Amino acid sequence: MCLKELKSYINDPKWKRIRWIVAILYLSVLVLLLIGSILLVIYSTRCPPKPNLNWYEKNVIYEVDLTRFKDSNGDGIGDLQGLEEQFKYFESNKIKSILFSSSIFNSSNSQSIELNGNGLVNKRIDLLNIDPLIANSDQFNSFIKNSNRKDFNLIIDLPLASTFDPNGFQWYGSDQPLKSQITNPCSRNPSSVSCRFYQSYGYLPLNFNSPLILNQSLHRIHYWLDTKKFDGIRVNLPLAFKNSTRSFALSTKTIDLWIKTVEEIQKKTKPKYIKMNFIRLFCFILFCFV
């Protein structure tokens, strides 16, 4: 197409109108897109604000088996003094939360004995006193004070829902055995909740329909959170025996009461306690096995 023909189109009123229509449509589309973007920003759902996380949700929690940790006195068993000697290590690695495994209550023959069925319990475990081979009472109280000065968060593993006797009698170090023996539930129903409990924790479940057992568990929660001023506890899953089905089931009543107890302690003392979210977490973990 020659230059003269192009000029004729440029000056043609018909093509001028077409160009104006195209330009107006183009600008209209741009304006509509701009308006739509503004309306989208104004009326769309806002992103939720960044939540204020609790210390146990944002901190690294260092779980320590004290009996296998640093031995400060050469007796072959790790102890609290050895742990305290590593405070600088924790601070240099920004570790502010320490979780004591249940081996803090029992050690035997220089070996760690977790309260989960992996070893024999050679002494009565009351979940109120730590093993004297790990620390005596004065050393323990001194450790707690020093850790508070360092602003460490202390958590302790309390297997409140378990017997510590393979025969199903001994519990919480009590001089009074259970009124009736708890037998291995896996022998009757391998798919039952109580069998999953036994397989997960290694010990038989206590029956939290018993007011005595329930009250003693609350006493230990108060002891560690209120008396010893620990910042949190880790617990296993409480079950209750149902006479109607002759089997154990999840004791939601106990869970709710434990949560309420911790909340009451928190209101009174206002420390940095775990609000028993660990309980619900462990419930979830356990039922993943079912």
Side-chain angles (χ1 to χ4, degrees), residues 135-153:
N136 59 38
S137 178
D138 292 338
Q139 291 171 331
F140 191 34
N141 291 333
S142 175
F143 174 86
I144 294 174
K145 290 179 180 178
N146 293 335
S147 63
N148 287 335
R149 292 192 189 103
K150 295 286 187 179
D151 198 29
F152 283 112
N153 302 304

Side-chain angles (χ1 to χ4, degrees), residues 163 165-171 176-182 204:
T163 66
D165 175 12
N167 297 319
F169 282 109
Q170 186 63 38
W171 63 286
Q176 297 179 345
L178 298 174
K179 292 182 178 180
S180 59
Q181 181 183 19
I182 300 175
L204 299 170

Side-chain angles (χ1 to χ4, degrees), residues 11 15 38 61 63 71 127 129 133 141 154 200 229 282:
N11 297 323
W15 288 104
I38 294 173
I61 297 179
E63 181 171 1
D71 176 16
L127 301 183
N129 298 290
L133 294 176
N141 291 333
L154 300 181
S200 298
K229 305 302 181 186
F282 272 73

